Amino acid sequence: MEAVYFKFILAIGLVLIFARIFGEISERYLKQPAVMGELVAGIIISPFLLGGIIFHDPIILNFATVHNPFGLQGDFDIMYVIANIAVVILLFQAGVETDIRSFLRQAPTGFAVAFGGVVLPFIGGYFCTMWLAPEVGVVGWLFMGAVLTATSIGVTVRILMDMGRLNTREGTTILVGAVVDDIIGLIILSVVIKMASTGELEILEAVKIGAIGFAVWFGLLFIGIKFHKYISRFLINPFKSSGTAPIVALIIGFIVAYLVTLVELHPVVGAYVGGLMFSACAEKEEIIDKVRPIMLFAAPFFFAYLGMMVDLSLFAAPGAAVLAIVLIIVAIIGKVVGCYAAARPVGKLSHTGGMIVGVGMIPRAEVGLIVAAAGYIAGAINLGLYGAAVAVSVVTTLVTPTMLKPFFKKQWPEEISKKEAPEIASNNPESNDSS
């Protein structure tokens, strides 16, 4: 048994070092965010490519099989658990770093962006699948539409943090939109899964789940804003003398991440609101400084793990490649157009600002993979459609940093430093409307 543990330690070490190397190459030589290199590293060292050649060991490889993605069935998946711990830390850190006043100010725009970014991709995914894969039926078409509605808040946050744009108007709008998008996606997924199992459409049950999810999320946010002085006094101050106050804050973030799962929300949504609860506290800067090294250590594992989910042989399934290309195009255009159309009039953003929001909502990553895996396990989609969904999740994640960069350069010229740009954008709203 000890040998198994030792092999997991080796595997985790290799994943982290490959992710760090490729992340460094991406930043230093390709001038792209590190997340892009980390994803590519995961693809290269996955069990389906280099990892399979090196290890030949089911103990190491069983965490990334096509029939058991994300540990949804079968053996306990320790790699999946570690990846989720990493993304919870990332989202908690993003929540603490968020300017809570800017977050509340951009909430209406974020809501509009979320709805705009759900409608077009869902309709496009449904009809494209109906056209190219008529044999899977209505439930399969709905599942592929649901895959396209997702936005990965984890990937979006990491890109914004890497580029120093987390607290801009556009960045905050994307964060609000991604959170709301996640809850809407939960509603759609619950409807489709119910249809797959019973053949009945239960809208009222889905609306109930969504209403509870929104209520719990906003309740926690309200507690953080309204009672931040008491949070500091009773949860942070007792641990100041030992220097462990930031660690206690992170632990509370984990607890909040778990609590939201009781109403069927994803842990990352809870982790983010857990961070927001501390963003109004006096100890905010101390928490940011002490938790950031932990986040920088853990986050690359999550993105490398996403890459390790990719089995390129899936695209050899009949019709998978064509469907994948069509769905990728629809996924990108649907998000950009839908979110841009909402961000411009509601948020009064410039053309460039609207495009940043639209492009920032593109990545599907782990959320799209989870929805696709749920559909495959439920028997709603076949292996070809699952392969197409994997392609959508990976490609939309890989292209987003490259697509965002020119818009960032236009919105914030190079003479504005990476540190100054977010402050100027958040403190001077007119600066974002001049493009």
Side-chain angles (χ1 to χ4, degrees):
M1 185 60 71
E2 285 186 354
V4 175
Y5 298 146
F6 296 157
K7 289 177 181 178
F8 273 127
I9 292 171
L10 171 63
I12 292 167
L14 289 174
V15 170
L16 287 172
I17 191 63
F18 268 84
R20 184 60 263 161
I21 291 171
F22 278 79
E24 194 72 20
I25 291 172
S26 180
E27 284 186 311
R28 186 177 299 184
Y29 301 107
L30 302 180
K31 307 302 180 185
Q32 298 295 328
V35 62
M36 187 172 177
E38 291 159 7
L39 284 163
V40 172
I43 294 172
I44 292 173
I45 64 171
S46 74
F48 311 110
L49 287 179
L50 189 59
I53 296 172
I54 294 174
F55 291 113
H56 301 291
D57 190 336
I59 291 175
I60 297 295
L61 304 183
N62 69 351
F63 64 88
T65 59
V66 175
H67 300 289
N68 186 20
F70 292 93
L72 290 175
Q73 65 179 15
D75 295 334
F76 182 73
D77 185 349
I78 189 63
M79 292 291 192
Y80 171 66
V81 173
I82 295 171
N84 271 275
I85 291 173
V87 76
V88 164
I89 296 171
L90 171 64
L91 265 296
F92 174 82
Q93 178 75 6
V96 179
E97 291 189 14
T98 299
D99 182 338
I100 192 68
R101 289 172 296 179
S102 177
F103 182 91
L104 295 175
R105 192 164 53 244
Q106 299 305 321
T109 309
F111 267 82
V113 164
F115 282 97
V118 164
V119 174
L120 286 183
F122 182 80
I123 294 173
Y126 179 92
F127 284 105
C128 286
T129 310
M130 182 176 67
W131 171 43
L132 294 171
E135 71 280 358
V136 298
V138 175
V139 175
W141 307 336
L142 287 170
F143 251 110
M144 294 308 289
V147 170
L148 266 60
T149 64
T151 292
S152 171
I153 187 173
V155 172
T156 304
V157 161
R158 178 65 188 279
I159 293 170
L160 291 170
M161 291 175 78
D162 281 354
M163 292 185 169
R165 307 297 186 232
L166 187 66
N167 279 324
T168 60
R169 289 176 64 196
E170 293 81 359
T172 307
T173 299
I174 292 169
L175 287 175
V176 178
V179 169
V180 177
D181 184 296
D182 199 69
I183 299 175
I184 296 173
L186 166 68
I187 297 172
I188 295 173
L189 182 59
S190 64
V191 170
V192 178
I193 289 178
K194 197 72 174 180
M195 285 185 65
S197 59
T198 66
E200 298 178 359
L201 182 62
E202 297 190 13
I203 297 294
L204 290 178
E205 182 65 22
V207 171
K208 177 183 174 183
I209 292 172
I212 293 173
F214 275 114
V216 169
W217 198 87
F218 281 108
L220 290 168
L221 181 60
F222 175 79
I223 290 171
I225 296 171
K226 191 72 175 176
F227 302 103
H228 63 89
K229 291 182 179 179
Y230 298 100
I231 291 174
S232 291
R233 184 183 305 171
F234 297 109
L235 297 180
I236 301 298
N237 287 347
F239 299 94
K240 274 190 171 182
S241 59
S242 64
T244 58
I247 303 303
V248 172
L250 178 58
I251 293 169
I252 293 170
F254 272 93
I255 293 172
V256 175
Y258 167 74
L259 289 176
V260 301
T261 65
L262 300 178
V263 292
E264 301 186 48
L265 292 180
H266 195 281
V268 299
V269 177
Y272 183 63
V273 75
L276 284 174
M277 291 173 68
F278 291 99
S279 67
C281 292
E283 297 79 11
K284 172 178 177 173
E285 294 303 322
E286 182 185 359
I287 296 171
I288 290 173
D289 291 342
K290 297 293 178 60
V291 176
R292 176 172 283 274
I294 302 173
M295 182 273 292
L296 292 175
F297 170 78
F301 187 93
F302 170 72
F303 297 103
Y305 182 84
L306 288 183
M308 295 168 77
M309 290 288 100
V310 180
D311 181 3
L312 299 177
S313 66
L314 286 174
F315 309 139
V322 174
L323 181 59
I325 293 171
V326 172
L327 289 177
I328 289 168
I329 294 170
V330 170
I332 293 173
I333 294 176
K335 279 290 183 186
V336 172
V337 173
C339 297
Y340 175 91
R344 284 295 304 270
V346 179
K348 294 182 172 56
L349 296 176
S350 65
H351 165 71
T352 305
M355 288 300 296
I356 289 172
V357 171
V359 174
M361 293 289 286
I362 286 175
R364 273 46 170 205
E366 84 287 359
V367 182
L369 287 173
I370 290 169
V371 174
Y376 182 69
I377 290 170
I381 59 176
N382 55 31
L383 194 59
L385 287 181
Y386 177 72
V390 170
V392 169
S393 296
V394 173
V395 174
T396 55
T397 304
L398 286 172
V399 301
T400 301
T402 304
M403 291 178 67
L404 273 175
K405 199 167 184 181
F407 292 111
F408 279 144
K409 283 185 176 180
K410 185 176 180 181
Q411 189 78 328
W412 300 284
E414 287 300 322
E415 63 264 26
I416 298 177
S417 72
K418 189 175 183 180
K419 182 177 180 181
E420 291 172 339
E423 294 177 0
I424 291 173
S426 59
N427 295 332
N428 182 17
E430 286 76 19
S431 67
N432 283 340
D433 296 332
S434 60
S435 296

